[in-house]
Amino acid sequence: MCKDYYCRILIDLGFYPNYSFEVGDIDGDGYKEIAAISTDGNILKVYRINGKLLFKRSLNNNGCWGTIIFSFGDLDNDGKEELIVPDGHRVIALDEDNNIVRKFKTPGNLVDDYGVAIPLIGIFKRNEDSIGICVAIAGGTVIALDEDFKPLWIIKNLRKDFGHEFYFGRNFRGEGDVIAFLSVDHIRYASPKVEGDLIIVDSKGRMIFRKRVRDLIDDTHFDDIAIADFRGRGETEILVEKGFLLDFKGNVIWDSSNLFDHGQWIAHMPNPIGPGRISFISELWGYEGKSRMLDPNGETLWIFGKHRYSIVDQKSYPGYGVTLTRVHAIDWKNIGEYEVIFAEQIVRHRNAPQIDVKCRLKIFVFNPLGKLLAEIPFHEIRRKDFFYNGEVHSRVTDIDGDGLMEYVFPCQNGKVIVVGKNT
């Protein structure tokens, strides 16, 4: 079934990066480099796809959970992407030789619940010709920088911590991107007393809406946000992974949250049978196979199904199970023909022993309407000496410069694999 696809190992990071993983072309040769930051945030590694370590750098971060989000961005428009990372209380941009080419000292001296001063960095479009860098600063501040690291705008007096990422999408009502993020009292704790806000701003930092998360669902934050014209009406709409579609004022258009146990990630693509977009939501902490594809109106097109999960041998590995990873929409040939791709991962249930767990897992490929195209096997080891959160930061990109898209996936054993489609 998987003869049309290939899967191979690219590199071995030596650790599991969780969120702290990104792909970009730092030397401008058309081949992407792979960057990862260690779980504690102190070590940055940048690899070429042939497995060679391009450089390694010590950073002044003191994290604990692999939650640092960083970015690649071409700051001087020379075809080479700089690597933009947090270094303590400053943001630095690195070139291919590990030189600091930009730096910005952030205000304040606080850290978030994970011990990180600058948890999130993201690149957004200011217009067709320029980009901005969004920087989330523990204590409740977001600053946008231009390509020279000069401040563009600032938002203050937010809640102390931030959600997992910045999210960007097209603004149908103005120039530049729409920017979404979560402002949270405590990102590490889910007490009923903890509050969070979904915040949407435009590329100039102007507030579009700010909505209390608990007004929608009993939770502190959302795990994934997608911004697009989901119903095909030429309007910017906001889809959150728990199954709510919101308009540009924060009003609920439709609510499909009852269909999920714990939606975690969103992948969306053009609707093949009508206007708008269809959206697959994959579950991280759901074990009943309720991950599903929704149509533009929030109705179910197809369901993944519990029977598809791989099984962990409970005699050898008691208390361990399998669930899904981040989902992606992938157009392998860049011709508008999308498929859905995601993988499995091993999860440790509470009180299970800390042991190495070896298991044969699968990467799934479906067409938009639910036809299974491939189950691609891979051998995984959930290593007891690696720290896990399970929220893998896989990517879809043309990693080898051949004009075709690939799925780049960091495994729990520290190895990065790439899946492509044979042509």
Side-chain angles (χ1 to χ4, degrees), residues 209-336:
F209 71 80
R210 179 173 182 169
K211 191 174 187 71
R212 180 174 173 261
V213 172
R214 293 192 187 277
D215 287 343
L216 291 172
I217 198 165
D218 185 19
D219 209 330
T220 63
H221 64 281
F222 296 116
D223 296 296
D224 201 7
I225 299 168
I227 304 167
D229 177 16
F230 289 98
R231 293 180 298 162
R233 300 187 178 192
E235 301 174 359
T236 309
E237 296 168 335
I238 313 296
L239 179 63
V240 298
E241 87 299 335
K242 295 299 182 287
F244 296 93
L245 184 69
L246 308 177
D247 66 17
F248 226 39
K249 294 181 180 180
N251 301 313
V252 176
I253 298 170
W254 49 253
D255 174 4
S256 299
S257 59
N258 64 306
L259 302 176
F260 300 94
D261 288 331
H262 191 285
Q264 185 79 22
W265 297 289
I266 303 167
H268 59 92
M269 65 205 74
N271 181 8
I273 53 176
R277 303 183 72 80
I278 58 175
S279 306
F280 190 90
I281 297 180
S282 64
E283 294 197 319
L284 171 58
W285 303 116
Y287 303 95
E288 299 301 318
K290 293 183 180 180
S291 301
R292 68 188 64 219
M293 183 73 81
L294 301 178
D295 74 7
N297 297 308
E299 300 295 329
T300 299
L301 288 173
W302 55 275
I303 301 172
F304 174 70
K306 183 178 180 179
H307 65 285
R308 296 194 186 276
Y309 285 121
S310 297
I311 303 297
V312 177
D313 180 4
Q314 293 300 300
K315 291 183 179 179
S316 301
Y317 310 114
Y320 285 84
V322 169
T323 187
L324 301 185
T325 65
R326 186 181 298 261
V327 61
H328 298 274
I330 186 165
D331 178 6
W332 302 99
K333 300 179 183 179
N334 290 305
I335 57 175

Side-chain angles (χ1 to χ4, degrees), residues 70-136:
F70 58 96
S71 294
F72 282 94
D74 187 356
L75 300 176
D76 45 17
N77 201 30
D78 65 351
K80 298 181 180 182
E81 292 184 300
E82 284 72 34
L83 182 54
I84 307 166
V85 298
D87 182 27
H89 291 274
R90 65 178 185 166
V91 182
I92 60 174
L94 304 171
D95 67 10
E96 61 188 295
D97 298 314
N98 198 14
N99 297 316
I100 297 177
V101 295
R102 305 275 198 286
K103 58 184 176 181
F104 178 82
K105 177 68 169 63
T106 58
N109 58 2
L110 298 178
V111 296
D112 69 4
D113 282 353
Y114 300 125
V116 179
I118 304 171
L120 311 180
I121 295 173
I123 304 293
F124 67 96
K125 288 184 179 181
R126 294 158 57 195
N127 51 52
E128 288 300 318
D129 302 316
S130 59
I131 61 172
I133 302 97
C134 263
V135 180

Side-chain angles (χ1 to χ4, degrees), residues 10 17 46 89 141 154 199 206 209 244 252 298 331 342 365 407:
L10 290 181
V46 181
H89 291 274
T141 299
I154 184 169
I199 297 174
R206 295 175 297 199
F209 71 80
F244 296 93
V252 176
D331 178 6
F342 52 87
V365 185
Y407 170 61

Side-chain angles (χ1 to χ4, degrees), residues 170-184:
R170 179 183 172 188
N171 186 353
F172 286 86
R173 298 188 181 182
E175 191 174 48
D177 278 344
V178 172
I179 304 164
F181 59 94
L182 279 301
S183 174
V184 188

